[in-house]
Amino acid sequence: MPFLLEYDTGRERLNILTEKIAKYERLVCLSNWTWPVLFHLPSARREANLHHRLADVGPQALIATTTAELRAATGASPAEQVWQLSSFGAGRHRLIDLPYTDTAHDAELPNLAEPGPSGRAA
């Protein structure tokens, strides 16, 4: 499962994080793939504030977030159902279930390009 990761310690202002998202969006526009950009945030409050900002922006990049608080409270690994998507309503998702597009990969491995149970290419 390809992805890009931002490990946020909470020391940068939120507008710095949203500027990073704009850079990821440029990368998406220049490539033939769309991988999820994962933000591991320190707290639920910071996560909520970032999602609020993302709702105003409507990013083209696929953004998913989790928090250190959530993972510590549940003991969940990053592979488990801890990722909240910015553009697909409420709920948490497993890492493997996050949608992504990689047309180069799909062309190289056409048998794996058929949608699986999660609705994305394997």
Side-chain angles (χ1 to χ4, degrees):
M1 162 82 202
F3 59 85
L4 302 165
L5 176 68
E6 284 284 338
Y7 188 88
D8 178 49
T9 61
R11 295 183 184 178
E12 294 179 320
R13 294 183 322 270
L14 281 177
N15 65 327
I16 299 295
L17 295 184
T18 55
E19 288 172 12
K20 288 181 179 183
I21 292 168
K23 292 176 183 179
Y24 284 116
E25 288 180 334
R26 282 194 295 262
L27 183 60
V28 167
C29 291
L30 295 172
S31 69
N32 61 351
W33 50 265
T34 305
W35 295 350
V37 181
L38 308 179
F39 280 84
H40 187 279
L41 304 160
S43 68
R45 181 178 179 193
R46 187 153 171 98
E47 181 182 43
N49 288 334
L50 180 60
H51 279 272
H52 180 72
R53 286 185 181 227
L54 292 175
D56 292 340
V57 176
Q60 291 178 340
L62 181 67
I63 309 297
T65 61
T66 193
T67 70
E69 286 177 347
L70 171 68
R71 294 193 48 243
T74 62
S77 82
E80 295 181 54
Q81 195 169 344
V82 296
W83 297 101
Q84 181 177 350
L85 292 166
S86 65
S87 57
F88 294 105
R92 301 271 176 181
H93 305 275
R94 295 180 313 158
L95 182 61
I96 193 71
D97 293 330
L98 296 178
Y100 74 93
T101 304
D102 188 339
T103 55
H105 173 270
D106 295 347
E108 292 173 16
L109 303 168
N111 293 337
L112 298 177
E114 297 174 17
S118 66
R120 64 158 178 79

